[in-house]
Amino acid sequence: MILLYLLFGALIATLGAIPLGAVNLAVINTSIRENIKSTVYIILAAGIGEIVLAFLALHCSMELSSFFHENQWIQISFIAGFLLIGIYFMYSANKPGPTKKQSPLKLPNSKVLTGFSLAVLNPPVVIYWIIAISLTNKHVFKLTIENSTSTLLLFFLGIYLGKIGTLYFYGKWGNKIAQKQGDSKTKLHRIIGIALITISIFQSIKFIIE
């Protein structure tokens, strides 16, 4: 029974990580520009960031929900950020591809910071965890900060494994594209650009309706 917390944590994290988001796109882009090994720092740090968000949602879901509702500039900032980055990818997809060069040295610390910050500074994911935990409490099992330490540790371990497993899949996908012709990379940049712009439009509509 206790393993259910591990499996359910992994399931919720995987479902939340499947849609294209900032971390997914950073992993894909890094695996294309460098290699799959270079994404490991981003993936592992993003997994820790996901645990932080789940813990915050578990500990103070009502307060966080009210905070984002009262500070709408945070949502607006992320909408604008997704839109600008999407436009950048669309622009880079239309530029002629550069000649093959040795990639500059990337410090692991910068990738750790990138993975962690992109995972943590993401209001939609916080809202996702608030909803997921609420539904879990209502339909599956009791999940609060008052649960035993062992069950919470298993739940957070499941979240970590689900997050890094899904991101690793995206990294492998980007790596396969990197092994193909340059035109495939251009198409991927265009897909990423369209995805980010679509996300920003969807979030804008949701923000206006709410």
Side-chain angles (χ1 to χ4, degrees), residues 9 42 47 50 60 63 66 68 81 94 96-97 103 105 113 131 136 175 185-186 198-201:
I42 297 176
E50 195 77 8
C60 47
E63 290 83 353
S66 300
F68 287 121
N94 294 325
S103 298
L105 180 64
L113 181 61
I131 295 172
T136 300
N175 188 246
K185 298 180 187 179
T186 300
T198 302
I199 291 172
S200 68
I201 293 173

Side-chain angles (χ1 to χ4, degrees), residues 1-118:
M1 175 63 182
I2 196 172
L3 290 178
L4 182 62
Y5 288 87
L6 174 70
L7 297 175
F8 210 75
L11 175 63
I12 298 175
T14 299
L15 291 176
I18 288 175
L20 277 178
V23 180
N24 307 58
L25 297 175
V27 168
I28 294 171
N29 198 42
T30 301
S31 65
I32 290 175
R33 292 180 180 275
E34 299 175 42
N35 52 59
I36 186 64
K37 291 182 180 179
S38 299
T39 67
V40 170
Y41 298 103
I42 297 176
I43 292 172
L44 296 180
I48 296 173
E50 195 77 8
I51 291 176
V52 171
L53 292 186
F55 177 79
L56 290 175
L58 190 64
H59 187 65
C60 47
S61 59
M62 293 301 296
E63 290 83 353
L64 285 173
S65 182
S66 300
F67 175 78
F68 287 121
H69 182 72
E70 294 171 2
N71 296 272
Q72 297 182 338
W73 62 269
I74 299 177
Q75 297 183 54
I76 295 173
S77 298
F78 271 88
I79 291 170
F82 278 129
L83 180 62
L84 291 174
I85 298 173
I87 293 173
Y88 166 77
F89 271 101
M90 291 293 289
Y91 172 75
S92 64
N94 294 325
K95 290 175 62 178
T99 55
K100 185 76 173 181
K101 294 181 181 179
Q102 181 69 27
S103 298
L105 180 64
K106 301 285 185 177
L107 295 177
N109 287 342
S110 67
K111 291 186 173 64
V112 170
L113 181 61
T114 297
F116 183 78
S117 60
L118 288 178

Side-chain angles (χ1 to χ4, degrees), residues 114-177:
T114 297
F116 183 78
S117 60
L118 288 178
V120 170
L121 302 176
N122 202 335
V125 178
V126 178
I127 295 171
Y128 168 78
W129 276 108
I130 292 173
I131 295 172
I133 289 173
S134 297
L135 292 175
T136 300
N137 275 315
K138 186 176 181 180
H139 299 289
V140 186
F141 49 68
K142 183 181 178 182
L143 184 62
T144 69
I145 202 67
E146 296 178 357
N147 280 63
S148 66
T149 302
S150 59
T151 57
L152 289 177
L153 286 176
L154 282 172
F155 181 68
F156 290 133
L157 176 61
I159 290 172
Y160 189 74
L161 295 176
K163 182 70 173 183
I164 66 173
T166 306
L167 290 179
Y168 185 76
F169 169 80
Y170 275 106
K172 292 289 288 184
W173 179 47
N175 188 246
K176 286 183 179 180
I177 293 174

